[in-house]
Amino acid sequence: MSAISSTIKRHNHRIHPCETSKKQELLKHLTTLYPNQSILIISSANAGTSEIEEQKITLSNDSSLKELGDRQWDILISFDLPVKPEDYLTRFACAKEMALILMDTKEQALLYSIEKLLGKNIKQEIIKGFEPKTEIKKTSIKHRPTKSQKRSAEDDDKKKRNQVDKEKQFSAKKEWNKKTASHDYRNKHTNPDKRAPRTIKIPKEKQSKEN
């Protein structure tokens, strides 16, 4: 990896953040900046390898690139990022002077895997007129959240949700008890069918006459 890293200067290895809808336009812009240099454009949308000889441009994809051997180009332009970070190392080895990446915010996770494999963060440079709507966050390899930190955050979130659920249950139970108590009170004092039975006392004189 050290041999690959030493072929290109750090400031010549760059990411150009860009919306996917504007990538084609940005690609044309970049190719006009280097008219006398050979350019390799890698994209998953390319079917095999093809040449545009008058512009010194080669179009290819990751599968076909492995069949080209040790051939190199002055500039590498990655139209998109590979799913496997190892494939990017194969691309990077083909560049002699410069390696550029056109990246949408949706490709952030793929970028982290590549930077981790390279052991360094790649410089980002926004080109005027191609600013992405959503800012691409610069993730630091060293300060990436650990699994234990993620688990701790998830546990805290779970505790908060459980606490909210308990409060809701308690509140619902309290309201139910209020309604039940109120219902019993009304039945006791307003419903004649459910009043307590009355005891009628018969005078002793009436009892003796009846006997």
Side-chain angles (χ1 to χ4, degrees):
M1 189 184 301
S2 59
I4 295 174
S5 302
S6 63
T7 59
I8 296 178
K9 294 180 180 179
R10 186 179 180 86
H11 66 274
N12 283 342
H13 190 192
R14 297 197 300 271
I15 296 168
H16 293 311
C18 178
E19 298 289 333
T20 300
S21 59
K22 289 187 175 182
K23 279 189 178 184
Q24 285 286 355
E25 190 179 348
L26 178 55
L27 180 62
K28 291 179 182 178
H29 172 70
L30 292 173
T31 54
T32 59
L33 297 178
Y34 313 101
N36 298 319
Q37 293 178 292
S38 59
I39 300 174
L40 170 64
I41 300 173
I42 300 291
S43 172
S44 57
N46 291 331
T49 301
S50 58
E51 304 280 348
I52 305 176
E53 295 181 3
E54 63 272 17
Q55 297 180 11
K56 296 183 179 180
I57 293 176
T58 302
L59 306 175
S60 189
N61 56 41
D62 289 301
S63 298
S64 301
L65 184 62
K66 295 173 183 178
E67 300 173 2
L68 298 178
D70 297 329
R71 185 179 172 186
Q72 287 188 309
W73 290 259
D74 296 321
I75 300 169
L76 161 70
I77 300 179
S78 293
F79 188 83
D80 49 29
L81 290 177
V83 175
K84 296 180 180 179
E86 294 81 7
D87 287 340
Y88 184 77
L89 292 186
T90 304
R91 297 184 186 185
F92 195 65
C94 294
K96 292 190 290 185
E97 297 180 16
M98 188 176 293
L100 308 176
I101 299 172
L102 312 188
M103 193 179 77
D104 186 88
T105 53
K106 296 177 182 178
E107 298 173 284
Q108 184 79 38
L110 297 176
L111 172 64
Y112 173 72
S113 299
I114 290 169
E115 289 181 329
K116 186 177 180 181
L117 190 60
L118 289 172
K120 62 182 180 181
N121 296 110
I122 305 171
K123 179 182 177 181
Q124 295 189 21
E125 180 184 335
I126 296 175
I127 297 179
K128 189 176 181 180
F130 297 94
E131 298 86 350
K133 294 178 182 179
T134 306
E135 183 181 355
I136 295 177
K137 297 179 181 179
K138 295 181 180 180
T139 56
S140 173
I141 298 172
K142 296 180 180 179
H143 298 92
R144 188 76 172 180
T146 62
K147 289 184 179 179
S148 59
Q149 289 174 330
K150 288 182 179 179
R151 195 180 301 112
S152 178
E154 290 173 357
D155 290 341
D156 290 340
D157 187 52
K158 188 175 181 180
K159 287 179 182 178
K160 289 179 182 178
R161 290 199 303 270
N162 289 338
Q163 182 63 31
V164 171
D165 290 340
K166 285 181 181 178
E167 290 175 357
K168 286 181 178 178
Q169 290 173 3
F170 176 78
S171 179
K173 185 177 180 182
K174 195 173 181 181
E175 289 298 321
W176 173 258
N177 290 338
K178 284 183 181 179
K179 290 180 180 179
T180 304
S182 178
H183 180 72
D184 291 342
Y185 178 83
R186 287 197 301 270
N187 286 340
K188 183 177 180 181
H189 294 277
T190 62
N191 192 339
D193 296 333
K194 293 188 177 182
R195 293 176 184 174
R198 295 175 60 187
T199 303
I200 301 174
K201 294 182 179 181
I202 302 174
K204 292 181 179 180
E205 294 177 356
K206 284 189 176 184
Q207 290 181 6
S208 59
K209 287 180 181 181
E210 289 175 359
N211 293 333

